Amino acid sequence: MPSLKDIKKRISSVKSTQQITKAMKMVSAAKLRRAQEAAVSARPYAEKLQQVLTNLSRREEADAHPLLVQRGKGRALMVLMTADRGLCGGFTANVSKAAERFIRDNEQGFEAIDLLITGRKGKEFLRSRVGESIVKVHENIGAHLNYKTASMIGQEIVSSYEDETYDAVYLLYNAFESAISQVVTLEQLLPIKAEAEQEVAEDTTDYLYEPDRREVLSQILPKMVEVQIFRGLLESNASEHGARMAAMDSASRNAAEMIDKLTLQYNRARQAAITKELMEIISGSESVK
Amino acid sequence: MAEKLTLEMVTPYKKVLSVDVDEITAPGTIGELGILPGHTPLLTTLKIGELSYKQDGKISHVAVNWGYLEVGDDKVTILVDTAEKADEIDLERARAALSRAEDALKTLTQEDAKFAVMEAALQRAVARIQVVNDR
């Protein structure tokens, strides 16, 4: 049976842990709001770009640009977006496991699948499992996320696709659904798939292109990759804060539960001690009579 | 003029503009172009420069970076990397960037890898200063 002093010590230690988790939750909530805004305000750009691309590719033969051409199944690159810091529940584990599964499932399909990881935690998680696949890691992107970083990664990917290092590029990240729910999402980055022919009333207006179609297409397609990366990073960032907030919330609640239990134990022990003392006094006074 | 153009300008960060305008002048890659209501559908890339639009007789200017412009059905969609309105531009900084770029360009030659970068920086600075001056 632990002594009164021991129990008291434990209570105060759990209390200070709870204070920390509570503070982290608040910080994450604030960061989440900002990240969410950024993710939402990036959407119109991506959607508009997609629209234009759909418009373009409808009039264009499939092999109009290298980035549209389906090549054989050689090497593939997977871009995996994870967190730089831990304490965010299953955030990194979920997406990393999905990557691992994808690699195992598609081993036959490709010669090899390489991994490009953003975030330190994903690297640590996968190093022991599929370490040989990891070709590049970008750390600390999430903290100062800007378009420049995304476009840098995008250009890197596009050029490695163009020089045929890779024949397909996939993107795997936690899409932001709500503060408490993230969905592991797999997207094909390259070759760019022209949207499935929609049944919309075909606007037959022929566009004028300046300088010309090919030129416009060759500028927009790489942009598309950059934008998708940027969007993935934003969503992943928002998801991370959401996941951390949820994890810290449940940690705080668990701590509260534990404090309750310990307090009960403490009071019981205290009462037992009092009873014992009383009995000693009474029996002592009885014996002197 | 009864007819108007709907102008929408978006950057990767946010929607910058969504207004009804009478006229747009944009820096196309192969030359400045003006757009009035009833323009034929067009898709063009933009270069670094100054984009202006006329709204109720008042002309506003925006400095834009790489992007492109789509015209269709009296709706103009502009996607750019960056867009800065006149009141968002720090003139001092733009001037400093201009002189820095000019100095750098004097020492560089066409073949240098940095040449294109500095040239772009120069163009951006010029566009910014122009936007502020035209205000």
Side-chain angles (χ1 to χ4, degrees):
Chain A
M1 176 107 185
S3 74
L4 278 181
K5 206 180 158 207
D6 288 340
I7 300 177
K8 223 174 178 176
K9 245 190 188 160
R10 283 219 48 204
I11 291 179
S12 75
S13 113
V14 174
K15 258 190 189 151
S16 60
T17 307
Q18 189 193 26
Q19 262 167 4
I20 292 170
T21 58
K22 261 190 188 159
M24 279 184 76
K25 186 191 148 196
M26 307 280 248
V27 171
S28 291
K31 279 188 179 166
L32 169 68
R33 208 166 41 236
R34 241 180 301 148
Q36 198 178 344
E37 263 164 33
V40 169
S41 46
R43 272 178 200 164
Y45 188 88
E47 277 158 17
K48 284 265 151 57
L49 198 60
Q50 183 69 56
Q51 264 174 29
V52 173
L53 191 67
T54 314
N55 253 332
L56 265 173
S57 55
R58 226 179 354 218
R59 299 187 179 79
E60 212 49 64
E61 320 78 68
D63 54 356
H65 193 271
L67 295 186
L68 288 170
V69 182
Q70 295 273 354
R71 289 204 292 255
K73 299 213 165 202
R75 290 177 83 84
L77 177 73
M78 165 161 274
V79 183
L80 177 69
M81 293 172 176
T82 65
D84 272 309
R85 294 186 301 154
L87 292 181
C88 46
F91 178 81
T92 298
N94 286 345
V95 77
S96 303
K97 270 186 201 147
E100 201 188 344
R101 213 174 315 127
F102 181 86
I103 291 175
R104 301 242 180 281
D105 289 350
N106 291 284
E107 255 168 351
Q108 269 79 49
F110 295 101
E111 269 172 43
I113 301 175
D114 286 344
L115 275 172
L116 186 152
I117 299 176
T118 69
R120 191 165 55 84
K121 284 286 158 187
K123 175 191 75 179
E124 282 168 9
F125 187 93
L126 288 171
R127 196 167 36 198
S128 58
R129 295 162 202 248
V130 283
E132 70 285 353
S133 303
I134 300 172
V135 286
K136 188 142 198 180
V137 180
H138 292 274
E139 288 182 17
N140 289 323
I141 290 182
H144 308 282
L145 189 54
N146 56 30
Y147 187 73
K148 227 179 195 167
T149 334
S151 89
M152 214 179 62
I153 299 175
Q155 278 159 16
E156 231 172 76
I157 293 169
V158 167
S159 67
S160 71
Y161 184 82
E162 275 172 342
D163 64 22
E164 306 200 4
T165 315
Y166 297 113
D167 296 317
V169 182
Y170 296 91
L171 173 67
L172 189 67
Y173 65 102
N174 277 297
F176 182 79
E177 198 167 70
S178 73
I180 45 164
S181 139
Q182 300 86 36
V183 187
V184 175
T185 309
L186 178 74
E187 278 171 13
Q188 184 173 334
L189 270 185
L190 288 169
I192 293 170
K193 269 195 279 190
E195 289 286 289
E197 213 54 46
Q198 287 149 339
E199 299 288 324
V200 276
E202 193 85 13
D203 62 304
T204 42
T205 43
D206 236 328
Y207 278 85
L208 267 171
Y209 292 95
E210 273 182 31
D212 59 57
R213 250 188 225 193
R214 202 159 284 252
E215 186 60 34
V216 172
L217 204 59
S218 73
Q219 292 212 27
I220 287 177
L221 288 176
K223 208 81 194 159
M224 192 68 209
V225 177
E226 289 172 26
V227 167
Q228 261 177 298
I229 299 261
F230 183 58
R231 202 177 154 186
L233 284 172
L234 284 173
E235 296 248 343
S236 174
N237 200 26
S239 300
E240 182 191 332
H241 291 308
R244 183 167 293 120
M245 195 179 84
M248 287 303 112
D249 185 48
S250 75
S252 304
R253 242 179 296 132
N254 287 345
E257 210 174 281
M258 200 158 175
I259 290 172
D260 278 352
K261 254 191 218 156
L262 285 170
T263 314
L264 193 69
Q265 208 184 347
Y266 176 77
N267 286 341
R268 274 211 190 114
R270 190 172 57 96
Q271 243 171 0
I274 292 171
T275 315
K276 204 172 115 205
E277 245 171 73
L278 270 176
M279 291 222 311
E280 274 162 13
I281 295 168
I282 291 168
S283 62
S285 69
E286 284 290 326
S287 64
V288 256
K289 264 183 194 165
Chain B
M1 213 190 314
E3 266 188 283
K4 291 230 174 193
L5 283 163
T6 309
L7 171 66
E8 273 198 7
M9 187 187 282
V10 275
T11 70
Y13 294 103
K14 59 175 195 253
K15 196 178 257 183
V16 183
L17 281 173
S18 182
V19 285
D20 285 337
V21 298
D22 302 314
E23 187 186 338
I24 298 167
T25 313
T29 318
I30 53 170
E32 190 116 320
L33 67 150
I35 299 152
L36 290 167
H39 198 284
T40 183
L42 165 86
L43 193 75
T44 181
T45 47
L46 299 178
K47 60 179 184 194
I48 298 163
E50 180 191 34
L51 182 139
S52 28
Y53 56 93
K54 196 157 135 194
Q55 189 183 10
D56 304 325
K58 203 175 138 277
I59 300 178
S60 311
H61 304 278
V62 184
V64 296
N65 212 332
W66 187 97
Y68 67 92
L69 173 148
E70 187 194 14
V71 190
D73 212 11
D74 281 346
K75 197 167 160 4
V76 179
T77 311
I78 301 174
L79 272 82
V80 283
D81 278 3
T82 61
E84 293 154 304
K85 291 179 205 163
D87 50 6
E88 290 168 349
I89 293 171
D90 185 344
L91 192 59
E92 289 306 307
R93 234 184 95 188
R95 288 224 174 94
L98 178 68
S99 59
R100 207 164 47 235
E102 274 173 348
D103 289 345
L105 281 178
K106 273 178 207 147
T107 60
L108 294 170
T109 57
Q110 287 270 340
E111 289 87 55
D112 270 317
K114 267 186 85 183
F115 189 82
V117 178
M118 292 319 292
E119 203 173 25
L122 181 79
Q123 284 168 2
R124 273 199 299 276
V126 169
R128 287 199 183 108
I129 291 168
Q130 202 184 346
V131 165
V132 175
N133 288 343
D134 284 350
R135 181 166 52 176

